[in-house]
Amino acid sequence: MHTTEALSPTLELAFELIRRPSVTPDDLGCQALMIQRLERLGFRVERLPFGDVDNFWATHGHHGPLLAFAGHTDVVPSGPHVHWAYPPFEPCIDDEGMLRGRGAADMKGSLAAMITAVERFVSASPEHHGRIGFLITSDEEGPAVDGTRAVVEHLRETHERLDYCIVGEPSSTSRLGDMIKNGRRGSLGGVLHIKGIQGHVAYPHLSRNPIHQAMPALDALVREHWDAGNAFFPATSFQVSNIRSGTGATNVIPGEVEVVFNLRFSTEVTHEQLQQRTQAILDAHGLEYRLDWTLNGEPFLTAEGELVDAAVAGVEAVLGQRPQLSTSGGTSDGRFIAALGSQVVELGPLNASIHQVNERVRASDLDDLSRIYEAILQQLFANGSARP
């Protein structure tokens, strides 16, 4: 097992970040480490605390298009440390070359790779074309209200333009760089309350069982053909995630049932259309109901453009392989940034162990990831090739 001897600059910074148990929304000095490195390069840093959340926005350069690196310093709880092979907040590199610790993959490893990539690029090209930004939050794994969402609103109010954005979420599946996320499906949640009439099971004619009423309507919603998807997105999916009802007694017909569901949707349909069609199906089944909606995120897609081209070329240059473009997986903070009209991709290490006990990532992958980020900067800015 290796600890801190002969670490690369990227791994050394990853160690420093992982040592801080920054469970949402606590940052515990992670951002201060990053800010110190960026200010040393000449970045202008704006600290943006909102509520209990630490955020910062930093920029370097004076003209041309802006590429922002986006990410989060917060991590999910580790759970009981006894279940970990190594303490979750004492990073180490095991005998198989794996960097272990909470946040190694999601996403302190990416943050370290971003910082060292920019350090090399700016040192080599201090008068580079274009602008480089960092949008960092400590509220991605939690409610995601006072983090990137709030920073994006601040940037909108100050008329800051983000042309390109790389989100460091762990996008790879089998090997580093095999997949780049160039979009995400939208997420629309609903809580459905169907009202019945409570009564004794021996006298069903005096009651109205809301569970029985719910089943045909839910079956219709599950079977509904919402859309066929497109070349980048699968078809929209309706999934029931929870059903709650009853008093706990076997001889009581319940008076209400609560159904929690989610729609993951493509760019072929809007959340307003999904709401209208859902309510039409419920109305057709004659239900007495209340429906509360939560829009967790709109779908976004960067189908083509300078950023996708540069990201693909960067992976090919460093790893000699062509990545696949995908919109699979859950939501990310990219959904907030895309709302600014930015080209957005997600590119990071393997996601196999994220949020798990014994989270880990191959240590050499972080050095390669840093080189990929640097190659993207060179593709976009070193020769002034990006469009203003």
Side-chain angles (χ1 to χ4, degrees):
M1 182 180 71
H2 308 281
T3 51
T4 58
E5 297 84 2
L7 291 177
S8 69
T10 299
L11 290 171
E12 186 176 354
L13 180 54
F15 267 58
E16 290 186 70
L17 293 170
I18 293 170
R19 284 195 185 101
R20 290 160 170 76
S22 53
V23 176
T24 311
D26 294 327
D27 172 72
L28 298 184
C30 292
Q31 292 182 23
L33 282 174
M34 299 177 67
I35 289 171
Q36 182 181 43
R37 304 275 285 255
L38 293 173
E39 287 183 332
R40 198 177 300 156
L41 289 172
F43 272 77
R44 298 169 295 281
V45 178
E46 185 177 8
R47 291 171 174 82
L48 296 168
F50 295 108
D52 296 328
V53 176
D54 290 317
N55 310 284
F56 77 83
W57 169 247
T59 57
H60 188 277
H62 303 285
H63 57 85
L66 190 152
L67 166 66
F69 289 95
H72 59 92
T73 56
D74 60 317
V75 297
V76 297
S78 64
H81 291 197
V82 68
H83 296 156
W84 288 67
Y86 302 93
F89 298 108
E90 296 178 21
C92 65
I93 300 175
D94 66 19
D95 292 334
E96 296 180 346
M98 304 298 290
L99 169 61
R100 291 175 171 268
R102 175 58 87 218
D106 188 14
M107 59 172 287
K108 292 181 176 179
S110 296
L111 296 179
M114 291 171 177
I115 292 288
T116 56
V118 170
E119 286 175 336
R120 292 192 304 273
F121 179 79
V122 171
S123 296
S125 305
E127 300 300 323
H128 58 84
H129 173 71
R131 301 169 63 211
I132 304 170
F134 276 81
L135 195 169
I136 306 298
T137 183
S138 65
D139 180 39
E140 195 274 345
E141 301 289 8
V145 172
D146 291 324
T148 300
R149 185 200 297 260
V151 176
V152 164
E153 287 307 309
H154 170 78
L155 296 178
R156 193 193 307 275
E157 291 170 2
T158 57
H159 306 289
E160 182 69 271
R161 174 181 174 181
L162 274 69
D163 299 276
Y164 316 119
C165 181
I166 300 174
V167 184
E169 290 292 342
S171 61
S172 305
T173 57
S174 299
R175 63 185 186 278
L176 177 67
D178 62 356
M179 185 173 291
I180 294 174
K181 306 283 188 179
N182 65 323
R184 293 281 190 162
R185 292 179 293 176
S187 175
L188 178 64
V191 180
L192 171 64
H193 300 268
I194 300 175
K195 184 173 176 57
I197 299 176
Q198 184 174 313
H200 197 292
V201 297
Y203 303 96
H205 59 287
L206 299 178
S207 306
R208 188 174 74 243
N209 193 318
I211 298 177
H212 294 180
Q213 286 190 303
M215 293 303 105
L218 293 179
D219 183 63
L221 289 167
V222 169
R223 293 175 180 273
E224 177 72 3
H225 180 75
W226 303 97
D227 59 54
N230 55 38
F232 294 96
F233 289 95
T236 294
S237 170
F238 176 95
Q239 296 293 324
V240 175
S241 54
N242 206 343
I243 298 178
R244 290 189 287 265
S245 188
T247 64
T250 62
N251 61 347
V252 178
I253 293 172
E256 184 176 287
V257 60
E258 179 188 88
V259 181
V260 182
F261 64 87
N262 184 272
L263 286 143
R264 292 299 165 103
F265 62 102
S266 75
T267 51
E268 294 295 304
V269 66
T270 67
H271 74 270
E272 293 93 348
Q273 291 170 331
L274 292 174
Q275 290 175 335
Q276 293 166 4
R277 289 170 62 182
T278 298
Q279 290 164 196
I281 290 172
L282 296 173
D283 292 340
H285 284 79
L287 303 179
E288 184 180 352
Y289 69 92
R290 185 182 86 253
L291 181 51
D292 301 317
W293 293 102
T294 301
L295 178 62
N296 302 303
E298 297 278 13
F300 70 91
L301 177 66
T302 303
E304 57 185 14
E306 298 88 356
L307 181 58
V308 168
D309 292 344
V312 170
V315 172
E316 288 184 316
V318 174
L319 301 178
Q321 66 187 34
R322 188 172 182 85
Q324 174 188 353
L325 299 178
S326 173
T327 61
S328 63
T331 59
S332 79
D333 276 359
R335 68 194 190 272
F336 304 127
I337 299 164
L340 292 173
S342 312
Q343 297 179 33
V344 179
V345 299
E346 298 174 24
L347 175 55
L350 268 67
N351 56 28
S353 67
I354 61 174
H355 292 208
Q356 295 183 7
V357 169
N358 296 320
E359 182 178 348
R360 59 204 176 276
V361 65
R362 186 161 298 282
S364 60
D365 280 357
L366 296 186
D367 288 318
D368 286 340
L369 182 62
S370 181
R371 292 169 59 210
I372 292 170
Y373 290 152
E374 183 183 11
I376 295 172
L377 285 165
Q378 291 170 343
Q379 288 283 332
L380 289 173
F381 293 154
N383 300 317
S385 58
R387 286 181 238 160

